[in-house]
Structures are given as structure tokens and as C-alpha cells.
Amino acid sequence: MLTRQSLLSGLPELHTERIKLRPLGVEDYQPLRALLSLPDVIRYMNRNRRPPVERAGRLFRQIQSGSASLESIHYAIIPQEMERMAGLVSFQHWHEKKGEAQIGYLLDPACWGQGLAAEAAAGLLSFGIESLGLKRIEGRCHERNNASAKVLLKNGFRYIRRIGLAGPLDDGDGVLVYELTSEVYFAMDDLKKKN
């Protein structure tokens, strides 16, 4: 089992059928900033009354600091035919002792609708459960973000609750919380192998 200590020397590269997941590096910061500047990408992230550019800057700083401390694990999504960063898939709030983390992802709108986010999430989930020993992974999405919910559901997550936004930020929409346990993951994996 990999530990935070063993990963300080570097994260392994991961591969799926159509995607390479490369540990996020300094060379990815400029493309990541560009992605976070796209209104469609930032729309449902860090929702508050701040302007999108300010929210994007805050998210970028969180990614940088989380990567440095391994509080979060971030991978650049590199589709085979592109050879450039098309998005990001991450484990945030990694609690090594409890075996828990929260998954997040973002993708260039030019790549939407191709199943790449679901495939990248599947690759990271496999790594998290099989190599990091995660027992529970949480996924969250804005309740109007149907595409993000589909990524979670396609990967075996189940809906567990809705979180409303309190006070002046409450626009009637909330955040949907999903979870995937290692038991469900391995049961799905067994099913795939039988078919």
C-alpha cells in the first residue's frame, strides 16, 4: 500500500484506455489557469459571490498548496490524441488514516461529451482504492451540474444527501453529495470481470 510518505518522492503515472494521468507539474500551471478562466469550467466551482476570476485564482492556489503538502493528489488529464493537458482529476482532503478522500475533476469544454471525465475518474478511483487503500470516496457537485453527477453515477457512486447553501448565498440550489465505498468498487470490478 502506498503512503503519503512513500509518495513524497513522486506520484506514479496512471493509464486508462484513452488517457494518460500524469502527476500535476509546474508546466501544467499555465494551462490550468487557462482552463479555470473559462466561465463554463468554473461555473459550479467554489460557488460564492466573488467574481469568477477571483474564484478561479483561489481554486488555483488551493491546488498548488494541496499538491505541495500531498493534502490533495492532482493529476493532469492527457487524452492520447491531444498530448496536452485537457483537465484535472484529484483527490482532495485525503485522510490517510481513515482511508477517505473527496474526488474532483474538471475538463476543457472542447472535450466534453466524450466520456473522458468518467474515464479519468475511474482511473483515479482504481489507484485510490487499490494502491492508497481508500475505503470511502466522496464526490460532490452542484445540483444543476448534471454532467458531473453522471460521472459519479457511472463510476458506482450513490447519492447520500443534499447540502443547502446557507444565508445570502442560497440561490435555491444546493450541493449533492455522493459516495463510493471500496466494497461497492470491488463488487463492480468482480461484475466487470465476469462479463
Side-chain angles (χ1 to χ4, degrees), residues 47-98:
R47 291 196 30 95
N48 56 39
R49 297 232 184 259
R50 293 185 181 137
V53 71
E54 197 175 315
R55 291 187 352 236
R58 181 174 176 234
L59 183 58
F60 180 77
R61 289 187 297 279
Q62 288 172 340
I63 290 168
Q64 278 185 305
S65 66
S67 290
S69 66
L70 280 181
E71 159 93 8
S72 302
I73 295 174
H74 300 283
Y75 277 93
I77 300 170
I78 317 288
Q80 288 174 350
E81 69 280 355
M82 291 181 71
E83 295 193 25
R84 68 168 177 81
M85 180 182 177
L88 182 75
V89 63
S90 308
F91 282 135
Q92 297 115 30
H93 313 293
W94 177 25
H95 195 292
E96 188 175 3
K97 288 182 182 172
K98 285 185 178 179

Side-chain angles (χ1 to χ4, degrees), residues 20 26 38 40 43 47 51 57 61 68 72 88 104 106 109 128-129 133 139 153 166 171:
K20 173 171 65 175
V26 176
L38 299 173
D40 285 342
R43 176 183 302 145
R47 291 196 30 95
R61 289 187 297 279
S72 302
L88 182 75
L106 61 90
I129 292 171
L153 293 170
D171 58 3

Side-chain angles (χ1 to χ4, degrees), residues 100-119:
E100 295 181 354
Q102 185 176 321
I103 193 167
Y105 38 85
L106 61 90
L107 195 61
D108 186 328
C111 298
W112 289 0
Q114 301 172 34
L116 295 175
E119 187 174 331

Side-chain angles (χ1 to χ4, degrees), residues 7 10 13 19 22 30-31 35 39 45 49-50 63-64 85 90 120 126 130 146 154 159-160 167 171 179 183 188:
L7 292 175
E13 197 169 272
I19 297 171
R22 181 175 38 74
Q30 189 55 40
L35 281 175
M45 294 181 186
R49 297 232 184 259
R50 293 185 181 137
I63 290 168
Q64 278 185 305
M85 180 182 177
S90 308
S126 176
E130 296 178 21
N146 295 328
K154 187 173 184 177
Y159 170 79
I160 55 173
D171 58 3
E179 77 172 356
E183 291 86 8
M188 287 174 45

